[in-house]
Amino acid sequence: MTRGPAPVLRRVAVIGCGDIAALHLAAIETVPGAQLVAVCDVDADRLDAATAATGVPGFTELDRLFDEARPDVVHICTPHHLHADQAIRALERGIDVILEKPLAHTREEAERLLAAAEHSRAKIAVCFQNRYNRPAERAKELLDSGELGAVLGASAVVPWHRTAAYYEDRPWRGRWETGGGGLLMNQAIHTIDLVQWLVGDPLEATGSIATRALAATIEVEDTAELRIVHAGGATSTVYATVAGVANLPVRIDVVCELGTLSLGAELTARFADGRVETTVERVTASGARSYWGVSHERLIQDFYAGLDEPGAFWLHPAEARKAFDVIQDVYDAAIPERREVTSVLAAQLDGR
């Protein structure tokens, strides 16, 4: 029997042991050669639960984890305001990074991370895993093929539900200082990323935000609407809320010269000649976190498979910045005093 080369051993640590970390831990188990060596969290209960479940050492301090566990790769699953700093500290040590979205919670932190990624020998991925859903992949293939003609624009809806308890359980989610925003930064960012990926790079965005149902609990938005102008002239609109009564399916409709695409749990492509094509997901996840699907696993596997290849991973910070900048532009349009502060900071930076 002919055997291929043994997989390269990678020492792996997960930083942040909250809800999303469970998907990363499960995905790491599917990667040949990936060896979990540590977990990290400042919350003692979450850290104890993670060490008990995984059997690896737990750390509360990042530098101590780096020094003692010596990871080759870290998965960062912490609150938004910690993302950029923790990723930068790993990149400066040459440690590869898988970073949960968003890449940062402010423009200034995003700029710092982009600079660090550009100057580091390590690779970094940002988790926009919905691009790995088979219906989304097929939509991208059809649009790139030109079979549907020029893309005119898209309309997207995110009709979701979150309770006050959701925010009370993790107070950072409802604050500008720690979340960097609300619904747009934490939920709708995935849909905004898909829209710009399918339709074209965003040139400008404007919109409005509101807190319709959760004002007694959070200081950030629970509802938003926005319009994006894309390179090439296409335009898209997005409406998103977590003030609904249930989590209903996300839907993206893309209008082209020679047909339309309707993307949700599956893809329906309707062509001008009358043909209809349907694409469903390859695998359906099960269990308590099934609504997150299986695309996290596919992204993580893809990242590890390309670690020894030259060049950046395709979902690098500069790519993740596109959806991030759309959201920041909407916040600036919706909150004039925020825009003025940002303009002053930009002028100060330009003057250095």
Side-chain angles (χ1 to χ4, degrees):
M1 178 185 297
T2 302
R3 297 182 178 179
V8 176
L9 179 64
R10 314 278 185 188
R11 296 174 61 84
V12 182
V14 172
I15 302 168
C17 300
D19 295 340
I20 201 67
L23 272 75
H24 287 257
L25 290 167
I28 291 165
E29 294 181 354
T30 72
V31 177
Q35 179 186 10
L36 184 71
V37 296
V39 291
C40 182
D41 204 299
V42 295
D43 183 282
D45 291 338
R46 284 201 297 269
L47 186 61
D48 287 346
T51 57
T54 61
V56 300
F59 295 84
T60 58
E61 298 176 5
L62 203 57
D63 286 333
R64 187 179 168 203
L65 179 148
F66 291 154
D67 292 338
E68 297 183 17
R70 297 175 290 105
D72 303 302
V73 184
V74 293
H75 294 234
I76 298 177
C77 305
T78 51
H80 297 173
H81 66 296
L82 302 176
H83 283 190
D85 182 68
Q86 291 177 338
I88 290 167
R89 290 163 68 183
L91 292 170
E92 288 176 344
R93 289 176 176 250
I95 299 170
D96 298 309
V97 176
I98 297 181
L99 177 65
E100 268 299 327
K101 57 75 189 167
L103 72 162
H105 74 303
T106 67
R107 289 189 194 271
E108 292 73 33
E109 288 293 277
E111 292 289 350
R112 288 183 59 227
L113 177 53
L114 264 70
E118 183 177 349
H119 291 98
S120 176
R121 69 179 186 274
K123 292 181 182 287
I124 176 171
V126 182
C127 287
F128 280 117
Q129 71 280 354
N130 288 352
R131 295 193 191 189
Y132 283 84
N133 294 340
R134 182 54 191 152
E137 289 178 327
R138 181 55 180 157
K140 181 66 171 173
E141 291 168 0
L142 287 169
L143 293 170
D144 287 350
S145 74
E147 189 174 357
L148 290 165
V151 182
L152 304 179
S155 174
V157 180
V158 183
W160 281 0
H161 168 74
R162 292 293 184 272
T163 64
Y166 168 82
Y167 294 96
E168 291 165 350
D169 184 52
R170 301 282 195 275
W172 67 265
R173 291 170 172 158
R175 299 174 57 202
W176 287 103
E177 183 180 2
T178 48
L183 152 85
L184 289 178
M185 286 284 271
N186 208 24
Q187 284 88 25
I189 190 170
H190 286 292
T191 302
I192 293 168
D193 177 68
L194 282 182
V195 167
Q196 69 83 24
W197 183 53
L198 295 172
V199 178
D201 287 350
L203 298 181
E204 61 181 85
T206 188
S208 62
I209 60 174
T211 312
R212 301 294 187 195
L214 294 159
T217 306
I218 64 175
E219 63 183 28
V220 294
E221 81 284 357
D222 62 19
T223 301
E225 58 81 24
L226 59 121
R227 181 177 184 266
I228 305 168
V229 177
H230 302 268
T235 60
S236 297
T237 59
V238 180
Y239 173 78
T241 187
V242 290
V245 296
N247 287 316
L248 300 176
V250 174
R251 181 183 175 97
I252 301 173
D253 291 294
V254 183
V255 180
C256 306
E257 288 182 322
L258 301 176
T260 62
L261 299 176
S262 295
L263 178 63
E266 61 184 34
L267 171 70
T268 301
R270 294 181 173 86
F271 300 87
D273 61 9
R275 288 180 295 132
V276 178
E277 175 187 306
T278 301
T279 303
V280 299
E281 189 51 84
R282 295 182 181 90
V283 180
T284 301
S286 61
R289 293 182 173 87
S290 61
Y291 55 86
W292 275 323
V294 297
S295 50
H296 257 98
E297 181 177 294
R298 296 189 62 225
L299 184 156
I300 290 167
Q301 291 170 344
D302 195 25
F303 179 76
Y304 278 89
L307 280 178
D308 292 325
E309 297 176 0
F313 186 66
W314 75 293
L315 278 171
H316 50 77
E319 182 68 17
R321 182 181 182 174
K322 295 174 183 178
F324 177 84
D325 278 348
V326 166
I327 293 169
Q328 297 302 313
D329 286 350
V330 171
Y331 287 156
D332 287 348
I335 311 171
E337 60 271 23
R338 170 192 160 97
R339 182 173 64 249
E340 292 169 5
V341 170
T342 301
S343 298
V344 169
L345 289 173
Q348 290 173 344
L349 289 171
D350 290 341
R352 287 181 180 178

